[in-house]
Structure formats: structure tokens, C-alpha cells
């Protein structure tokens, strides 16, 4: 019996508008021009987007992931491992379209609310919601819902997996590993958030630069500073991060090439990302840096307090919408009969920016607020 081969660039709906340009050019354009992509500029990465103009937002994070994904794919291709840099970049641009306001704190609050109001039958996960966004919620074309992205891009998004991302149930979850470009985007995501969260933690004075010496990944990349000592850590931060990034990409290419050349039986058992990975020693050093960030940054009192406020705001707004769906815009309230108040409220809140959600909370609960 023959194996059915699915066209990776197939689209779910007939789409004459997609025929003029190469498929991935169309996909990139549709993602970048989507409302969901634009709203990422005011969504939290680690620090609430209103805190400061210089911290990463969910949009700048997506751009950094896309840059790293393309770099890694190009390096792998030069080394003889088949990889499409354009596909890796497009997947990375779309990977966080489903993030709600206030980062992972907002996501946890939405998940708890949806589960509570559906007796545990449903939840909220930003990776699954990214697919819902590109397949249903975005509606720029009158002939079909969604952006009608190619199958391979949606498959990579459906199977996106990191410590903060777990693939949700979806028809494209077929039990097979993601395409290599999806694995590249997964690794690029990990590298990007580790390196830029560390930088933002330093800028926010929540990380003591002297403590970084305990991290081999950092100390190995730190060059003698000489006369720059008088300028402090800021004078060497970018060169150090660049050296770490260069080393991580080189190590990932070397390990991925080794695995690509190894017989199938030699692949690590149960390793979903066996084809694109870091060597064990480098992986351990990256884990050490992530553990450091967990202790020194993510659990810092300032961020914990901010996350607590964010969860309360999301819960309050969600509860108000479920109790009285007409508080939502008519285009959302009209879906409640078919999709349920909990899912529609989650859809609406997930699309909000940090500042819009704060204003909406004030409109709903502050008697002095002009509605």
C-alpha cells in the first residue's frame, strides 16, 4: 500500500488571492499584517508593556525568535542538513499570536477561568489559541475565516513545544514529529527568551551582574574588559550576548548534524526534538541559566506582585463577560449561543493588549470611569 503524501503548501480553503506569490511569502504577509500580530506590541513578555519602552514585548520577542530561527536554519542548510530558512522564520513570526495580555500570568488566569466555567471540559493554552487565531478568529477575507495559511506552517504551530508551550489537541497533531523547521523555531524560541530575559532583568536592576559569573555559559563568553571596566556591565553586555548566541547556534548545528548522520537506532529514545538539538553539555548550561532566571527574575517580588494583579484583572473581566455576555462587542456576544460564553470571553480577552485590558477592567468596575 502506498503512503499518501500531503502537499505541505496546501491551504484549507480555495484561495485565488494566494496564487500570485510563493506560498511562504503569502503566509508571512498575512501573519505580519494581521491584527493579532500588531497587538503583540503591547503584550507582556516578562515586564508589563506599560512599564518601560525598552523592555521586550511579545512582538519584539517574536521578531527575535524569527531572526534566530532563520539564522539557525541557514546555518544547518550550509552544513548539509535540509532546512528551509523562510519556513522557519514564518513559523516563528506566528508562534505567539495566541498569547493573551500579561504574559503567562494572564494565560494561567484564563485557563483557570475557562476550566471553572466548563467543568474542566475546556481550558486555555496560548499555543492552541494561536492556531484558533489564524484558523478562525482573524477574518480579513470574506470568502473564508482565518488567514488560510499553508498546511506546513499550521502543522509547525500545532506541534510547537517548549517548557512554556505544550501542543494542544488539533487535527494536525498526528503523532509524528514536527517538520524540522518547527523544531528550529522551538529551539530559537528557547534561546531568544533566555538571552533577552536575562538582558531585561539586568536593565531592570533585578539581576546582579556579579552573580552571572556563576553561569558557565556567561563566564565563558565574557572577554577581558580592560578600560571598559569604568563603564560597567552595559559596555560589554551586547558583545557577550552575541558570543553566547554564536556559540549556541554553532553547538546546535554540530549536534543536529551529528544526529542527522547517525543511524535511526542511535537517536535518543522519546526525544521529540531529536533532529534539532543542543549537545548535552550545552543543554545543561542553558538549563542552568534558565534556573538562574527562575530564581533571580521570574520569582522576584516585583514580578510576582505584578503577576498577581494581572491574574485578578483577567479573572474579574472574564467573570463579568460570562455573567453578562452583552458587555462584549456584538460580534463576540452573538457567538455565545453557538460556542459558549466561556470560550467567547476567552477569545475576546486573549486578543486584548495589556493596556486595553486595564482600561476595560476600569470601565467595568470603576464607578467613576466614563464608559
Amino acid at each position: 500500500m502506498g503512503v499518501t503524501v500531503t502537499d505541505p503548501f496546501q491551504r484549507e480553503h480555495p484561495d485565488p488571492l494566494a496564487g500570485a506569490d510563493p506560498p511562504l511569502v503569502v503566509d508571512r504577509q498575512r501573519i505580519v499584517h494581521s491584527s493579532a500580530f500588531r497587538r503583540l506590541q503591547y503584550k507582556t513578555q516578562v515586564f508589563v508593556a506599560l512599564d518601560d519602552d525598552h523592555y521586550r514585548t511579545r512582538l519584539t520577542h517574536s521578531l527575535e525568535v524569527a531572526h534566530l530561527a532563520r539564522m539557525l536554519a541557514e546555518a544547518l542548510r550550509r552544513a548539509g542538513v535540509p532546512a528551509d530558512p523562510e519556513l522557519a522564520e514564518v513559523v516563528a513570526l506566528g508562534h505567539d499570536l495566541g498569547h493573551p495580555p500579561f504574559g503567562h500570568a494572564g494565560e494561567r488566569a484564563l485557563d483557570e477561568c475557562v476550566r471553572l466555567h466548563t467543568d474542566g471540559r475546556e481550558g486555555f493554552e496560548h499555543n492552541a489559541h494561536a492556531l484558533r487565531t489564524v484558523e478562525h478568529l482573524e477574518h480579513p477575507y470574506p470568502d473564508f475565516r482565518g488567514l488560510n495559511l499553508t498546511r506546513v506552517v499550521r502543522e509547525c504551530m500545532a506541534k510547537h513545544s517548549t517548557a512554556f508551550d505544550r501542543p494542544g489537541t488539533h487535527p494536525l497533531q498526528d503523532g509524528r514529529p514536527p517538520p524540522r523547521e518547527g523544531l528550529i523555531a522551538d529551539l530559537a524560541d528557547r534561546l531568544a527568551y533566555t538571552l533577552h530575559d536575562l538582558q531585561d532583568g539586568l536593565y531592570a536592576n533585578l539581576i546582579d551582574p556579579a552573580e552571572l559569573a556563576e553561569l558557565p555559559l556567561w563566564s565563558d563568553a565574557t572577554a577581558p574588559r580592560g578600560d571598559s571596566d569604568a563603564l560597567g556591565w552595559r559596555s560589554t553586555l551586547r558583545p557577550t550576548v552575541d558570543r553566547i548566541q554564536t556559540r549556541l547556534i554553532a553547538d546546535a548545528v554540530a549536534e543536529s548534524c551529528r544526529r542527522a548522520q547517525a543511524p535511526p537506532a542511535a537517536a535518543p529514545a522519546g526525544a521529540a526534538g531529536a533532529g534539532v538539538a543542543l549537545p548535552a553539555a550545552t543543554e545543561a548550561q542553558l538549563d542552568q541559566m534558565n534556573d538562574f532566571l527562575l530564581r533571580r527574575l521570574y520569582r522576584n517580588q516585583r514580578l510576582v506582585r505584578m503577576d498577581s494583579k494581572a491574574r485578578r484583572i483577567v479573572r474579574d473581566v472574564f467573570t463579568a463577560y460570562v455573567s453578562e455576555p452583552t458587555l462584549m462587542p456584538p460580534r463576540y456576544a452573538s457567538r455565545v449561543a453557538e460556542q459558549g460564553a466561556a470560550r467567547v470571553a476567552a477569545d475576546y480577552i486573549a486578543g486584548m493588549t495589556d493596556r486595553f485590558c486595564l482600561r476595560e477592567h476600569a470601565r467595568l468596575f470603576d464607578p467613576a470611569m466614563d464608559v
Side-chain angles (χ1 to χ4, degrees):
M1 180 180 293
V3 177
T4 301
V5 179
T6 303
D7 177 7
F9 298 119
Q10 180 182 0
R11 299 184 189 275
E12 191 173 6
H13 307 287
D15 193 343
L17 294 174
D21 294 301
L24 293 174
V25 171
V26 173
D27 282 4
R28 183 195 291 108
Q29 174 175 293
R30 291 184 176 182
I31 289 171
V32 170
H33 286 270
S34 68
S35 298
F37 189 77
R38 290 195 300 276
R39 290 194 297 263
L40 294 178
Q41 66 184 311
Y42 294 116
K43 292 192 178 189
T44 295
Q45 174 60 28
V46 171
F47 297 92
V48 170
L50 305 177
D51 272 4
D52 190 282
D53 291 340
H54 294 93
Y55 297 134
R56 267 73 173 188
T57 66
R58 195 59 60 173
L59 176 63
T60 59
H61 164 71
S62 295
L63 294 175
E64 291 187 38
V65 175
H67 172 67
L68 275 175
R70 185 164 195 123
M71 286 181 63
L72 180 53
E74 287 176 343
L76 284 168
R77 187 168 64 174
R78 288 195 300 270
V81 177
D84 185 338
E86 188 173 24
L87 174 56
E89 179 184 31
V90 171
V91 171
L93 286 170
H95 85 282
D96 265 355
L97 290 177
H99 247 292
F102 309 119
H104 292 287
E107 178 176 11
R108 288 193 296 273
L110 266 186
D111 183 54
E112 292 166 1
C113 288
V114 174
R115 291 185 184 281
L116 178 65
H117 285 82
T118 62
D119 296 325
R121 295 187 305 276
E122 301 179 39
F124 180 89
E125 195 272 330
H126 80 266
N127 192 58
H129 195 72
L131 277 165
R132 182 167 171 79
T133 298
V134 302
E135 293 178 342
H136 177 72
L137 296 176
E138 287 284 328
H139 189 28
Y141 301 103
D143 293 337
F144 50 80
R145 295 203 67 88
L147 300 180
N148 206 23
L149 303 180
T150 55
R151 186 186 193 281
V152 67
V153 169
R154 293 187 300 114
E155 181 181 358
C156 289
M157 292 175 66
K159 298 176 179 180
H160 177 58
S161 179
T162 72
F164 298 101
D165 304 275
R166 291 290 182 267
T169 302
H170 189 276
L172 292 174
Q173 275 294 340
D174 53 12
R176 297 183 300 177
R180 180 174 282 112
E181 292 79 7
L183 297 175
I184 290 169
D186 291 353
L187 181 56
D189 189 22
R190 293 179 57 212
L191 302 186
Y193 68 64
T194 300
L195 295 179
H196 66 49
D197 288 359
L198 186 146
Q199 294 171 71
D200 282 356
L202 286 166
Y203 288 132
N205 296 316
L206 299 185
I207 293 176
D208 181 353
E211 294 180 308
L212 297 176
E214 71 184 61
L215 302 174
L217 198 58
W218 178 271
S219 59
D220 291 349
T222 304
R225 289 176 16 191
D227 293 339
S228 67
D229 281 337
L231 300 176
W233 59 266
R234 292 175 185 269
S235 65
T236 57
L237 177 60
R238 188 67 249 173
T240 300
V241 171
D242 285 349
R243 283 190 286 269
I244 295 173
Q245 178 180 292
T246 299
R247 182 233 165 138
L248 290 171
I249 290 176
D251 285 1
V253 169
E255 177 65 13
S256 301
C257 287
R258 184 187 71 79
R259 295 188 180 197
Q261 296 164 3
V276 179
L278 293 167
T282 307
E283 185 72 49
Q285 291 185 352
L286 186 65
D287 286 344
Q288 187 179 4
M289 185 170 280
N290 282 314
D291 289 342
F292 174 87
L293 289 170
L294 182 64
R295 290 182 282 110
R296 294 290 189 267
L297 180 63
Y298 305 140
R299 291 178 178 168
N300 182 276
Q301 181 190 21
R302 174 178 163 187
L303 295 186
V304 170
R305 185 169 57 242
M306 180 181 71
D307 285 356
S308 178
K309 292 179 181 178
R311 291 195 301 272
R312 185 171 63 252
I313 289 167
V314 169
R315 286 195 296 264
D316 287 350
V317 174
F318 181 93
T319 301
Y321 289 159
V322 171
S323 300
E324 184 50 74
T326 56
L327 290 171
M328 292 183 285
R331 68 183 185 277
Y332 282 90
S334 65
R335 301 177 193 169
V336 169
E338 178 185 354
Q339 299 177 6
R343 178 53 54 195
V344 175
D347 286 344
Y348 186 39
I349 293 171
M352 294 179 180
T353 61
D354 294 2
R355 63 183 184 178
F356 184 89
C357 193
L358 286 167
R359 286 201 302 265
E360 185 68 358
H361 187 271
R363 282 193 289 263
L364 290 169
F365 297 102
D366 184 353
M369 181 74 174
D370 184 6
V371 297

